[in-house]
Amino acid sequence: MAMKNMIRYKTDRRDFLKQAGLTTIGLIIGIDASARPYNLSRADALANGLEINPFILIDPDNSITIINPRNDMGQGTIHAVPAMIAEELEVSLDQIKIIQSDGKSKYGSQTSGGSSSISRLWLPMRKAGAATKEMLIKAAANRWAVSEDQCYAAGARVFKKDSDISFTYGQLAAEASRLVVPTDPVLKKQADFKILGKNLQRREIPDRTTGKAVYGIDIEVPGMVYASILHSPMLFGKIVSIDDRRTLKVPGVLRVIKCERKMIHRDTESVAVIGSTWWAALSGRKALEIEWNNSGLAEKLHTDKYFQDCYRQLETKGANHQERGDFSQKFQAAKSRLELTYETPFLAHVPLEPETATAYVKEDGTVEIWAPIQGPGETLPDVAGYLNIPVDKIKIHPLLMGGSYGRKAYIDFVKEACFLSNQLKRPVKVLWTREDDVTQGPYRPGMVSHMQGFVEDGQITGFHHHVIGESILRQVFKGLADNEADPWIGEALDENIYQFKTASKVSFSNVKTELPIMWWRSVNASNLAWGQECFIDELSHLAGKDPLAVRLGLYKDERFIKVLKTLAEKSDYYAEAQPGSGKGIAIFKCFGSICACCITVSRLNNGSIKIDKVVSVIDCGMYVSPDTVRAQTEGNIVMGLSAAIKKGIIFKNGMCQQSNYHDYPVLRMNEMPKVEVFIVENGEAPGGVGEPGLPPVAPALGNAIFMATGIRLRNLPIDITSIVDSKNGKTK
């Protein structure tokens, strides 16, 4: 499309973008009235070749399109991000079309992760909508020759006060687009919100529930073939020989190609079977006979060996992240002290939709990719570098993700599709099996928390958290030197540091592993909260104090205190416990939000534990949708309980011991306790909600089990089917 078909800002746009915090995202609100209307509802709307940076687009027919820069994995960004613009633009969600951004740098950061979509875009998106509205009002005021305060916007129209006269946004767009962009548009007050903070129907939900929504696994491209890839059972095995004679006899098998898997920290070899159907490719793969050289991998890929290395670090000081007071000296001198370790396992992501991508590397050197990915903005240059072609030769179609939890930010599967399509010069769809997903990683790293603390005069006055394990920053991002404290881990604990009177310390020891790791829902917080919040309880009991009262005394931040008091009220924490039951609590802050959890359990006659109820209280500041906040917190509870009581990932002699949901189970519906989620209402800046509800779940459960049984469990996962009262002589 010719440049004349759109109006681009030539004055003050850069200043506005700096003010809005979107230095690489532009704003375009109009189409030249002399040009033909541009239908942005088409799936290929972003393939128009324009070098402007569209964000808000308004057609002369008053159709409004908003570009959503954060891909949706079920967390609701496809609704929430456009809602922030719509609120200030004075349009309803029914009046807008939504298009997903395609990874190009003009859309700025496009990674869905770290619970960052709402918190980071809250002001920029609202300012974009507010600035556009002010420009439309000014255009209308100019036409009517009245002051701007004599006009107002509502329902995608600008009205003249005290009259029935109005213009649609589409009628004003061309004129508005020629105006100077406001650098400091007026934003609505929270009390005036019509969309934000309200329970409004998410428009994409009907298609999700009826099966009309298109996920990565649903994509079909003309001329497409399918690839099923056999990876080494020992992850890094080298191919010695390939016998594909039986494979090539399978009906529908087209070719067998030696492939590669580009992992972040190292490469691996694999073999791809290309078929005319997915079933043909998978059947052909099962018929392959591959000889692998697995020399030296059995010891390197062994979780027991990894944890042995972790425990060897207990006697070391580790690298200090922060220390207040001379903790070691005070600890050694303390008369009442504890020193304990807590362990969390490796975990797989197991999103319901396994890894899949479709790529077409064409003869003319251009590439198209259809994939459910968390970060199209990162995928684009990464793939360009991998294929050694310019970024502008690649077009990405980000698709809905059927779950992710961090896995689909690791784009090895996308590069596999690109590699094979480059060989065949035709569209190739790669689809991993569940077994591939579980056995090949990457995983949440297992960690050990070495805790030390002491009590003086009935008060917890000293606390040391020594975190031991592999660093995501080191392995994935090459951003950590040997003997350096991981700043990501340190910062996660900084947000939660209690106010200890005498001394406190956070340290870190990096234990390296070849097992591939990546962020998992709530990233480091899911490991760190287990040790911290269980240990606080143990120190509370050492001091002879109630764990909730102790936490209230150790926190000075009023938001933490309000969350804890709300939890006490909503969970009826101080009610007398029934015989054989117990309540446990935990609190943790991550991604800008504070979440506390109270779990009630009961001890059954057969020695097992029943999880009766989970109450969560979250303070996430202002938010878009209370339904989404509750839904995400409920999902975190399910995932947090699964991580607490179901199997972790275990490697023995180089092989993953789990393969599918039968031996790596997630919580089933009949296992779910009653769940209640409460939101603390305030006008604070938004935090995340996709992850903060998870970290306090496991420690709240561990603390509840202790209150019900007197048995203290320090290593996850917990087998709740075989916990027996210590009076019977069986403890864990």
Side-chain angles (χ1 to χ4, degrees):
M1 180 180 288
M3 183 64 75
K4 69 177 183 179
N5 287 350
M6 300 290 277
I7 301 295
R8 65 182 300 181
Y9 292 117
K10 297 181 180 179
T11 58
D12 291 341
R13 183 179 67 176
R14 183 172 298 175
D15 289 338
F16 165 72
L17 296 175
K18 287 180 180 178
Q19 291 289 326
L22 292 171
T23 56
T24 59
I25 296 181
L27 174 66
I28 179 71
I29 66 166
I31 293 180
D32 190 337
S34 65
R36 66 178 178 84
Y38 179 46
N39 181 7
L40 284 168
S41 65
R42 298 196 309 269
D44 62 348
L46 297 180
N48 54 69
L50 294 169
E51 292 302 323
I52 61 171
N53 299 328
F55 201 71
I56 302 171
L57 299 99
I58 301 173
D59 282 357
D61 65 1
N62 208 35
S63 61
I64 300 167
T65 300
I66 293 177
I67 311 302
N68 173 34
R70 298 297 174 97
N71 209 17
D72 201 296
M73 65 184 91
Q75 83 280 35
T77 51
I78 199 170
H79 162 89
V81 176
M84 292 186 284
I85 292 178
E87 177 69 76
E88 300 290 348
L89 190 57
E90 292 291 359
V91 297
S92 71
L93 296 176
D94 292 333
Q95 291 176 295
I96 62 173
K97 303 169 188 175
I98 301 168
I99 295 177
Q100 184 63 44
S101 65
D102 63 355
K104 290 187 172 59
S105 60
K106 60 190 176 184
Y107 300 112
S109 173
Q110 296 158 71
T111 296
S112 292
S115 293
S116 64
S117 296
I118 305 305
S119 60
R120 292 185 184 176
L121 297 180
W122 181 257
L123 288 178
M125 291 295 181
R126 291 176 59 208
K127 285 184 177 181
T132 303
K133 177 184 67 179
E134 289 186 7
M135 296 165 75
L136 291 163
I137 288 175
K138 185 173 181 61
N142 289 343
R143 282 201 191 184
W144 289 321
V146 299
S147 63
E148 293 168 47
D149 61 7
Q150 294 301 304
C151 309
Y152 69 95
R157 303 180 74 92
V158 177
F159 294 85
K160 185 179 179 183
K161 290 182 179 179
D162 302 321
S163 76
D164 296 328
I165 302 173
S166 68
F167 291 113
T168 67
Y169 284 0
Q171 291 172 317
L172 298 168
E175 293 167 60
S177 67
R178 298 184 179 96
L179 300 174
V180 174
V181 181
T183 59
D184 191 21
V186 177
L187 300 179
K188 286 185 177 181
K189 296 179 180 179
Q190 186 179 6
D192 297 327
F193 287 164
K194 300 173 184 175
I195 297 174
L196 303 181
K198 313 299 181 184
N199 278 327
L200 302 178
Q201 182 178 3
R202 284 169 48 180
R203 286 167 48 198
E204 84 280 9
I205 295 298
D207 282 355
R208 290 181 191 264
T209 55
T210 59
K212 293 180 181 179
V214 178
Y215 292 84
I217 204 169
D218 299 319
I219 282 296
E220 293 184 5
V221 177
M224 181 178 75
V225 293
Y226 296 81
S228 183
I229 302 175
L230 181 63
H231 303 95
S232 170
M234 283 198 184
L235 289 181
F236 307 116
K238 300 290 186 180
I239 296 172
V240 176
S241 64
I242 302 172
D243 186 344
D244 59 7
R245 288 173 293 181
R246 290 175 54 225
T247 296
L248 293 173
K249 293 178 182 179
V250 174
V253 168
L254 304 175
R255 283 188 62 179
V256 175
I257 300 174
K258 184 177 178 180
C259 190
E260 64 182 15
R261 180 186 178 200
K262 282 282 185 181
M263 305 179 76
I264 294 178
H265 72 301
R266 62 183 295 180
D267 300 341
T268 67
E269 297 180 351
S270 56
V271 182
V273 177
I274 309 299
S276 56
T277 66
W278 163 242
W279 184 249
L282 181 62
S283 300
R285 167 181 154 177
K286 291 178 179 178
L288 276 173
E289 295 182 15
I290 309 293
E291 181 183 353
W292 302 93
N293 177 1
N294 297 316
S295 177
L297 294 176
E299 183 178 354
K300 290 181 179 179
L301 304 174
H302 201 299
T303 47
D304 279 352
K305 169 67 166 54
Y306 168 81
F307 280 110
Q308 289 169 12
D309 292 342
C310 287
Y311 282 102
R312 274 194 282 270
Q313 295 296 316
L314 294 182
E315 301 305 318
T316 68
K317 293 182 178 180
N320 263 16
H321 169 71
Q322 62 91 351
E323 183 171 14
R324 188 182 59 82
D326 189 335
F327 178 85
S328 295
Q329 182 184 34
K330 300 290 186 182
F331 179 74
Q332 293 301 324
K335 295 180 180 179
S336 183
R337 65 189 186 187
L338 283 179
E339 183 170 5
L340 301 166
T341 58
Y342 301 82
E343 182 183 307
T344 52
F346 286 81
L347 294 175
H349 301 79
V350 290
L352 189 61
E353 176 194 39
E355 292 67 52
T356 182
T358 302
Y360 188 8
V361 181
K362 305 174 186 178
E363 295 283 0
D364 64 3
T366 62
V367 178
E368 278 195 82
I369 297 170
W370 298 260
I373 48 177
Q374 286 183 233
E378 288 70 33
T379 299
L380 190 60
D382 202 359
V383 169
Y386 177 62
L387 295 174
N388 195 26
I389 62 174
V391 168
D392 60 12
K393 295 288 186 182
I394 302 173
K395 178 176 177 56
I396 294 181
H397 306 271
L399 302 167
L400 288 175
M401 292 173 273
S404 177
Y405 317 115
R407 175 59 180 93
K408 289 166 187 172
Y410 196 99
I411 61 164
D412 50 343
F413 60 100
V414 177
K415 291 180 180 178
E416 286 180 328
C418 291
F419 175 89
L420 294 169
S421 181
N422 197 28
Q423 299 286 311
L424 299 172
K425 292 298 186 288
R426 64 186 300 180
V428 176
K429 182 176 186 175
V430 166
L431 177 59
W432 283 34
T433 64
R434 176 61 59 206
E435 288 77 10
D436 296 330
D437 173 57
V438 173
T439 63
Q440 295 296 311
Y443 308 103
R444 183 196 78 170
M447 303 290 282
V448 170
S449 286
H450 179 209
M451 311 298 301
Q452 296 174 307
F454 53 87
V455 171
E456 299 171 300
D457 300 323
Q459 302 292 323
I460 303 172
T461 55
F463 192 89
H464 174 206
H465 193 160
H466 181 189
V467 184
I468 304 170
E470 178 60 289
S471 163
I472 296 172
L473 178 60
R474 186 205 70 83
Q475 188 192 92
V476 178
F477 297 99
K478 309 294 188 294
L480 188 72
D482 291 342
N483 301 317
E484 179 185 1
D486 187 330
W488 289 1
I489 288 174
E491 288 164 9
L493 289 172
D494 285 346
E495 285 196 291
N496 294 276
I497 196 69
Y498 292 97
Q499 301 298 309
F500 299 104
K501 180 180 178 180
T502 303
S504 62
K505 182 178 178 181
V506 173
S507 58
F508 174 72
S509 292
N510 189 198
V511 176
K512 300 176 183 179
T513 180
E514 285 298 312
L515 290 170
I517 63 170
M518 188 58 171
W519 38 49
W520 185 89
R521 195 170 190 175
S522 79
V523 199
N524 295 310
S526 66
N527 294 100
L528 302 176
W530 171 244
Q532 172 178 295
E533 289 300 294
C534 287
F535 192 57
I536 283 290
D537 258 48
E538 298 212 52
L539 287 171
S540 299
H541 295 304
L542 180 65
K545 299 294 179 64
D546 172 70
L548 194 148
V550 165
R551 287 174 171 84
L552 286 171
L554 289 174
Y555 273 126
K556 304 303 180 186
D557 189 309
E558 289 299 322
R559 292 179 70 180
F560 277 90
I561 292 171
K562 185 170 183 178
V563 168
L564 285 170
K565 288 184 176 180
T566 304
L567 182 70
E569 174 194 346
K570 300 300 184 182
S571 66
D572 203 9
Y573 177 79
Y574 290 109
E576 183 176 354
Q578 296 297 315
S581 72
K583 291 179 180 176
I585 63 164
I587 185 170
F588 210 78
K589 181 181 180 182
C590 61
F591 305 105
S593 294
I594 306 164
C595 190
C597 185
C598 178
I599 295 182
T600 304
V601 303
S602 55
R603 186 180 61 206
L604 304 182
N605 291 333
N606 62 3
S608 64
I609 288 291
K610 180 176 182 290
I611 304 172
D612 298 308
K613 187 177 181 180
V614 180
V615 177
S616 279
V617 176
I618 184 168
D619 176 355
C620 59
M622 290 185 285
Y623 51 81
V624 173
S625 166
D627 274 350
T628 299
V629 175
R630 293 189 183 94
Q632 288 298 294
T633 305
E634 290 165 358
N636 273 302
I637 291 168
V638 176
M639 203 163 173
L641 288 175
S642 294
I645 68 174
K646 301 298 183 180
K647 293 180 181 178
I649 289 293
I650 298 171
F651 270 74
K652 289 184 179 179
N653 300 317
M655 302 279 288
C656 183
Q657 302 302 294
Q658 291 70 42
S659 62
N660 208 316
Y661 289 125
H662 71 287
D663 56 9
Y664 188 76
V666 296
L667 210 67
R668 300 299 179 96
M669 290 181 69
N670 65 335
E671 298 175 288
M672 273 301 295
K674 182 180 179 181
V675 171
E676 295 179 353
V677 176
F678 299 92
I679 305 170
V680 175
E681 302 289 347
N682 57 43
E684 300 288 343
V689 298
E691 300 172 277
L694 189 147
V697 172
L701 176 61
N703 293 334
I705 290 172
F706 175 78
M707 295 300 292
T709 67
I711 299 172
R712 176 59 69 176
L713 304 166
R714 300 187 181 96
N715 291 358
L716 294 180
I718 297 168
D719 181 1
I720 63 171
T721 67
S722 63
I723 296 174
V724 183
D725 194 309
S726 58
K727 292 180 181 179
N728 295 329
K730 297 180 181 180
T731 62
K732 287 193 174 184

